[in-house]
Amino acid sequence: MEIVKNPGKEKWFELLKRPARTDEEIQISVREILKDVRKNRDRALKKYTKALDNAYVENFRINKEEFENLSRDVGEDLKQAIIRASGNIEKFHKAQMPETVTVDMGNGLTCWQKPVPVESVGIYVPGGSAPLFSSVLMMAVPAKLAGCNSVYLATPPDSSGNINPAIVYAAMISGVDAIFKVGGAQAVAAFAYGTETVPQVNKIFGPGNQYVTLAKQMVNAEGVAIDMPAGPSEVLVVADSATPADYVAADLLAQAEHGADSQVLFLTEEEKMLEKVNESVTSLMNELPRKDLVEKSLESSKLILLENNDKIMEMVNEYAPEHLILACENADEMAEKVVNAGSVFIGRYTPESLGDYSSGTNHVLPTGGAAKGYSGVNIDSFMKKITFQKAEKSGLEDMGEVTMIMAGKEELQAHKLAVEIRLATKKQLL
Amino acid sequence: MEIVKNPGKEKWFELLKRPARTDEEIQISVREILKDVRKNRDRALKKYTKALDNAYVENFRINKEEFENLSRDVGEDLKQAIIRASGNIEKFHKAQMPETVTVDMGNGLTCWQKPVPVESVGIYVPGGSAPLFSSVLMMAVPAKLAGCNSVYLATPPDSSGNINPAIVYAAMISGVDAIFKVGGAQAVAAFAYGTETVPQVNKIFGPGNQYVTLAKQMVNAEGVAIDMPAGPSEVLVVADSATPADYVAADLLAQAEHGADSQVLFLTEEEKMLEKVNESVTSLMNELPRKDLVEKSLESSKLILLENNDKIMEMVNEYAPEHLILACENADEMAEKVVNAGSVFIGRYTPESLGDYSSGTNHVLPTGGAAKGYSGVNIDSFMKKITFQKAEKSGLEDMGEVTMIMAGKEELQAHKLAVEIRLATKKQLL
């Protein structure tokens, strides 16, 4: 990993740049897949599933009645772990549940804002060698809690056309209504447009590779709601020398193993930590099965020395990391100063992997600096807040004049007329 | 307006279609403008302001110190109206302010979710003949309330290079930090990338024409947060025969006057209302200065008879209108059944124009069916919700096993290691 000492502020922009990702070819093929699925529906899904997942699938849909049978191979220890993690996720997201806000505006005018669940949501979960069943919990548990009517899951099948049993089990535990055996951009297209088998949904969630991310962005530009732009995972760790270097190294490696395009940063105000952490990373890395991915990811990663904690927090907020670990003496104080981050891990006993699985917080988080403008997935993500207003005649009399003056100046005569015509009615209507 | 009686459900999809808008040429010019502003910055802004707004602007920035002077021509009645409207908007949005949610997960693990303001926001407000100063209030008031550090406004200058005084006054009242005299896609580009004069912001808000909307979608696909996709305005009015037909007609016309691409729908279960409303629309229309726009918009608008109120609410939720007016006997009951809508106006004395200006609800709302997945602008739009977690050693001991089992099954060894290495430490760290 590259070591950088006390970089001047003019160098921060370059230093904090994420690895760039623009691939014209991927754009073209995603656009083609979207068009094809929109037009040829299930037939297109079958074609891409054969071509890209090397699987022949006759029926994409798995109904919830089949979940129990398809997940019976999941070991008892994993089942119990999934149940406990799911319990924590439910507990934390339930506490976030918004309530109706009602305001008496005076004189017979009342306004309220009511949270209403999104009716149908589509959740995408990557498949492949390492099935991300934890992501199923992170999205389906709050979706059901919010009250979404239909919660659908899409995930690519293996080459025999099957879904990993742990994914099916997580779906069952969290109340998913149906699973669709389809992956990639074609899954996103199916949720966006609907096919004979896959229902069209109101909002699409979930992480994925570049194809999935681009497909989500493209259907979003067409008006379909999505959770957020999701790119490669990243972590920023802050530690002092009272934190064992191998804690930090393990946290950095945990992020790096997500993929070759993951980015990890380490910030400290103690110079001796730089080498210690670097050495520990090198030594721990050799034990990891995903060593190749990790090495690639560490190429774009940095260990940075800064003058003091204020500078550290300044850089944290400038970078806006998806995950922020504060493993140092005054972590609580520093946490108060966090302005831009997805999820924050405080103290020496809170590794980021706790949030990935079991603490109860959500692991679907804004990446690539999006934390400056986006929240991670939370209960709000599955609801719309609709506003209501009701005026008695007195309320309209009270605010009518103001409305007419403003409408008149904006040259919207009919807006003015809608008030005027009502106020002119002598008879009191019910 | 077209009259449709008791359409079968198989006809709803066609019936409720919004006027289509895809213009390849506009796409190309917006993409060109974005590229140009990104590269040539202020120079490009000057070029487009000259070409598109026919204005020569030397300095785009108006500092807040200049607001008072530039708005002194606003009449006292309008000033008072703006102050009252702004007071209601503040009152209603203040009541929505989210609080930190803290959950004791047990055994030394605490999770919390903290709302943090988006640091800098850029608000776009269309200019032109009818200056939408009300939109300034709708976005800047909640932005300041949420605690955004920097709230910037962009709006196109008139051909003398000036901004309408009412816009400047609304900006002053709501605490805007600076106004930039730039409009269209070039304003969105300036906020997205920053120029010598215009600061880059974290989130871009505001309605606009097709150029502005496309520009927002394009920079959103690049990772810049935006409020929502905003298209042509629309209203759906429900009324029975106890509601005077001219109330309904005025509400329909108020929406239609927004632009030729606005869409208005009227639903009723009483057949005689169809002709009554239609006649009233025709007669009131003749008094309107924007008659041409209105006539064009009414071409794609419909008066629909449905069997009963249940069918009406089914169609309402299927259409997902930006604005929904329920001017009928059992409006309260029907309001309970609203699942998809931006903002709802209940009863015979609540015209939609009240919400446009003064009731306190926000008028920046999802259009084109986006209300199925999006909320209108509200206090949340100006905040991110960041999650935090802190485990004592006991907390990690409690959830560590679950985490390690799950990480192991997802084949993320370093995630497991980050827990393992901490639990292996005998010494209790601070």
Side-chain angles (χ1 to χ4, degrees):
Chain A
M1 287 173 78
E2 189 190 348
I3 289 181
V4 184
K5 293 182 187 174
N6 298 318
K9 273 214 75 172
E10 74 286 356
K11 290 188 185 136
W12 286 20
F13 182 77
E14 269 308 311
L15 195 62
L16 300 178
K17 251 191 185 165
R18 269 87 174 175
R21 304 196 313 164
T22 36
D23 193 326
E24 280 284 330
E25 268 177 53
I26 296 189
Q27 291 229 9
I28 293 166
S29 40
V30 170
R31 210 174 290 280
E32 179 57 36
I33 293 172
L34 295 186
K35 222 172 102 183
D36 199 354
V37 173
R38 185 168 211 163
K39 193 175 162 211
N40 298 309
R41 315 176 75 196
D42 278 354
R43 198 147 56 86
L45 294 187
K46 279 180 194 170
K47 185 178 94 183
Y48 292 112
T49 304
K50 186 88 201 88
L52 305 172
D53 299 310
N54 195 27
Y56 175 74
V57 174
E58 183 49 43
N59 178 18
F60 290 102
R61 185 177 175 119
I62 307 178
N63 288 315
K64 73 204 292 190
E65 292 72 29
E66 305 168 68
F67 289 176
E68 193 159 356
N69 191 32
L70 291 172
S71 62
R72 72 185 131 69
D73 287 347
V74 177
E76 198 49 40
D77 58 339
L78 181 56
K79 282 186 179 173
Q80 290 310 316
I82 288 177
I83 289 172
R84 271 209 79 187
S86 158
N88 272 7
I89 295 165
E90 187 168 348
K91 188 173 178 181
F92 186 56
H93 286 77
K94 198 171 191 171
Q96 297 165 17
M97 192 75 84
E99 292 188 351
T100 296
V101 175
T102 306
V103 182
D104 177 357
M105 306 299 291
N107 296 320
L109 172 62
T110 310
C111 295
W112 63 103
Q113 184 204 44
K114 180 184 170 187
V116 176
V118 174
E119 282 189 286
S120 61
V121 301
I123 294 169
Y124 184 77
V125 172
S129 58
L132 299 185
F133 52 83
S134 60
S135 295
V136 178
L137 302 180
M138 292 294 170
M139 295 177 280
V141 168
K144 276 288 157 188
L145 207 54
C148 300
N149 237 328
S150 308
V151 178
Y152 301 117
L153 189 73
T155 189
D158 63 22
S159 56
S160 341
N162 297 320
I163 302 294
N164 183 289
I167 286 190
V168 180
Y169 186 75
M172 182 172 78
I173 286 300
S174 45
V176 165
D177 294 291
I179 300 176
F180 296 93
K181 295 192 268 188
V182 57
Q186 59 273 24
V188 175
F191 278 148
Y193 311 128
T195 73
E196 295 89 341
T197 311
V198 183
Q200 187 183 34
V201 300
N202 301 137
K203 192 166 180 178
I204 301 174
F205 290 80
N209 59 19
Q210 275 196 59
Y211 289 84
V212 171
T213 303
L214 258 176
K216 278 172 64 189
Q217 285 177 340
M218 284 179 190
V219 300
N220 186 226
E222 295 169 7
V224 181
I226 64 167
D227 48 355
M228 75 187 77
S233 204
E234 58 199 26
V235 72
L236 188 158
V237 183
V238 180
D240 55 25
S241 60
T243 300
D246 55 359
Y247 289 18
V248 177
D251 290 336
L252 296 174
L253 291 168
Q255 206 54 41
E257 75 178 340
H258 272 298
D261 51 5
S262 297
Q263 194 183 26
V264 308
L265 295 179
F266 171 62
L267 308 189
T268 187
E269 53 166 356
E270 293 184 67
E271 191 161 1
K272 60 183 171 189
M273 281 298 278
L274 298 172
E275 269 314 325
K276 274 193 184 172
V277 169
N278 207 12
E279 279 164 22
S280 181
V281 164
T282 310
S283 104
L284 290 174
M285 184 165 63
N286 290 316
E287 300 164 28
L288 296 176
R290 297 192 175 197
K291 194 184 164 195
D292 290 353
L293 274 187
V294 168
E295 270 185 320
K296 188 95 188 98
S297 152
L298 293 182
E299 281 172 21
S300 59
S301 299
K302 294 171 185 75
L303 307 162
I304 304 173
L305 176 71
L306 287 169
E307 288 86 345
N308 52 47
N309 277 340
D310 286 346
K311 270 272 183 315
I312 286 178
M313 288 316 296
E314 204 179 330
M315 189 178 269
V316 163
N317 287 322
E318 181 60 36
Y319 184 68
E322 180 192 14
H323 304 103
L324 169 64
I325 302 180
L326 298 171
C328 44
E329 209 52 49
N330 37 2
D332 290 306
E333 225 174 277
M334 289 166 83
E336 295 281 334
K337 294 182 188 149
V338 175
V339 177
N340 298 320
S343 196
V344 185
F345 302 79
I346 300 173
R348 301 189 172 96
Y349 292 111
T350 320
E352 187 265 325
S353 37
L354 213 55
D356 275 343
Y357 295 105
S358 66
S359 67
T361 60
N362 211 291
H363 79 202
V364 182
L365 298 165
T367 58
K372 290 181 181 176
Y374 287 89
S375 310
V377 164
N378 62 77
I379 198 83
D380 288 345
S381 315
F382 301 92
M383 310 192 96
K384 299 107 44 178
K385 292 182 176 174
I386 305 179
T387 52
F388 296 78
Q389 50 248 287
K390 184 179 182 180
E392 307 299 327
K393 196 171 188 197
S394 59
L396 186 62
E397 277 161 357
D398 189 34
M399 293 310 295
E401 186 67 20
V402 163
T403 305
M404 288 191 288
I405 291 170
M406 292 174 78
K409 293 289 179 187
E410 287 192 356
E411 293 177 28
L412 296 169
Q413 287 306 319
H415 281 66
K416 197 174 160 185
L417 182 65
V419 176
E420 211 163 37
I421 222 163
R422 283 167 163 93
L423 290 181
T425 312
K426 290 283 174 292
K427 197 177 69 172
Q428 171 86 29
L429 299 170
L430 281 173
Chain B
M1 288 174 79
E2 189 190 347
I3 290 181
V4 183
K5 294 183 187 174
N6 297 317
K9 275 214 72 170
E10 74 286 357
K11 290 186 185 136
W12 287 20
F13 182 77
E14 270 307 311
L15 195 62
L16 300 179
K17 252 191 183 163
R18 268 89 173 173
R21 304 197 314 165
T22 37
D23 193 325
E24 280 285 329
E25 267 177 54
I26 296 189
Q27 290 229 9
I28 293 166
S29 40
V30 171
R31 210 175 292 280
E32 180 56 35
I33 293 173
L34 295 185
K35 223 173 102 183
D36 199 355
V37 174
R38 185 168 212 163
K39 192 173 163 214
N40 298 310
R41 313 175 78 196
D42 278 354
R43 198 147 56 85
L45 294 187
K46 279 180 195 170
K47 184 177 96 182
Y48 291 111
T49 304
K50 186 87 201 88
L52 304 172
D53 298 310
N54 195 26
Y56 175 75
V57 174
E58 183 50 44
N59 178 18
F60 290 102
R61 186 177 174 120
I62 306 177
N63 288 315
K64 72 204 293 189
E65 292 71 29
E66 304 167 70
F67 290 175
E68 194 160 355
N69 191 31
L70 291 172
S71 62
R72 72 183 132 71
D73 287 346
V74 178
E76 198 49 41
D77 59 337
L78 182 55
K79 282 186 178 172
Q80 289 310 316
I82 289 176
I83 289 172
R84 271 209 78 187
S86 157
N88 272 7
I89 296 165
E90 186 167 348
K91 187 173 178 181
F92 186 56
H93 286 76
K94 197 170 191 173
Q96 298 165 17
M97 193 76 86
E99 292 188 349
T100 297
V101 174
T102 306
V103 182
D104 177 357
M105 306 300 292
N107 296 320
L109 171 62
T110 310
C111 294
W112 64 103
Q113 183 203 44
K114 180 184 171 188
V116 176
V118 175
E119 283 188 287
S120 61
V121 301
I123 294 170
Y124 183 77
V125 172
S129 60
L132 299 185
F133 52 84
S134 60
S135 295
V136 177
L137 302 180
M138 291 295 169
M139 295 177 282
V141 169
K144 275 290 157 185
L145 208 54
C148 301
N149 238 329
S150 308
V151 178
Y152 300 117
L153 188 73
T155 191
D158 62 22
S159 58
S160 338
N162 297 320
I163 301 294
N164 185 289
I167 287 190
V168 179
Y169 186 74
M172 182 173 78
I173 286 299
S174 45
V176 165
D177 294 291
I179 301 176
F180 296 92
K181 295 191 268 188
V182 57
Q186 59 274 22
V188 175
F191 278 148
Y193 311 128
T195 71
E196 296 90 340
T197 311
V198 184
Q200 187 183 35
V201 301
N202 300 137
K203 192 166 180 177
I204 300 174
F205 289 80
N209 59 18
Q210 277 195 58
Y211 289 82
V212 171
T213 303
L214 259 175
K216 278 172 64 190
Q217 285 178 339
M218 286 180 188
V219 301
N220 185 226
E222 293 168 9
V224 182
I226 63 167
D227 49 355
M228 73 186 78
S233 204
E234 59 200 26
V235 74
L236 188 158
V237 183
V238 180
D240 54 26
S241 60
T243 301
D246 56 357
Y247 289 18
V248 177
D251 290 337
L252 297 174
L253 291 167
Q255 207 55 42
E257 75 177 340
H258 273 298
D261 51 6
S262 297
Q263 194 182 26
V264 308
L265 294 179
F266 171 62
L267 308 189
T268 186
E269 53 167 354
E270 293 185 66
E271 191 162 0
K272 60 184 170 189
M273 282 297 279
L274 298 172
E275 271 313 325
K276 274 192 183 174
V277 169
N278 207 12
E279 279 163 23
S280 182
V281 164
T282 311
S283 104
L284 290 174
M285 186 166 64
N286 290 315
E287 301 163 27
L288 296 175
R290 295 192 176 197
K291 195 186 163 193
D292 291 353
L293 274 187
V294 169
E295 270 186 319
K296 186 99 189 93
S297 153
L298 293 182
E299 280 171 21
S300 60
S301 299
K302 293 171 185 76
L303 307 163
I304 304 175
L305 176 70
L306 288 168
E307 288 85 344
N308 52 47
N309 277 341
D310 285 347
K311 270 272 183 316
I312 287 178
M313 289 315 298
E314 204 179 329
M315 189 176 270
V316 162
N317 288 321
E318 181 60 36
Y319 184 68
E322 180 191 15
H323 303 104
L324 169 64
I325 301 180
L326 299 171
C328 44
E329 211 50 51
N330 37 2
D332 291 306
E333 224 174 278
M334 289 165 83
E336 295 281 333
K337 294 182 187 149
V338 174
V339 177
N340 298 320
S343 195
V344 184
F345 301 80
I346 301 173
R348 301 189 173 96
Y349 293 110
T350 320
E352 187 265 324
S353 37
L354 214 55
D356 275 343
Y357 295 106
S358 66
S359 68
T361 61
N362 211 292
H363 80 201
V364 184
L365 298 166
T367 59
K372 291 181 180 177
Y374 287 89
S375 310
V377 164
N378 62 77
I379 199 84
D380 288 345
S381 315
F382 301 93
M383 311 192 95
K384 298 106 46 178
K385 293 182 174 173
I386 304 179
T387 52
F388 296 79
Q389 50 247 287
K390 184 179 182 180
E392 307 298 328
K393 196 172 188 194
S394 60
L396 186 63
E397 276 160 357
D398 189 35
M399 293 310 297
E401 185 67 19
V402 163
T403 304
M404 288 191 288
I405 291 171
M406 291 175 78
K409 292 290 178 185
E410 288 192 354
E411 294 176 28
L412 295 169
Q413 289 305 319
H415 280 65
K416 196 174 160 183
L417 181 66
V419 176
E420 212 163 38
I421 223 163
R422 283 166 163 94
L423 290 181
T425 312
K426 290 282 174 294
K427 197 176 70 168
Q428 171 85 29
L429 298 170
L430 282 174

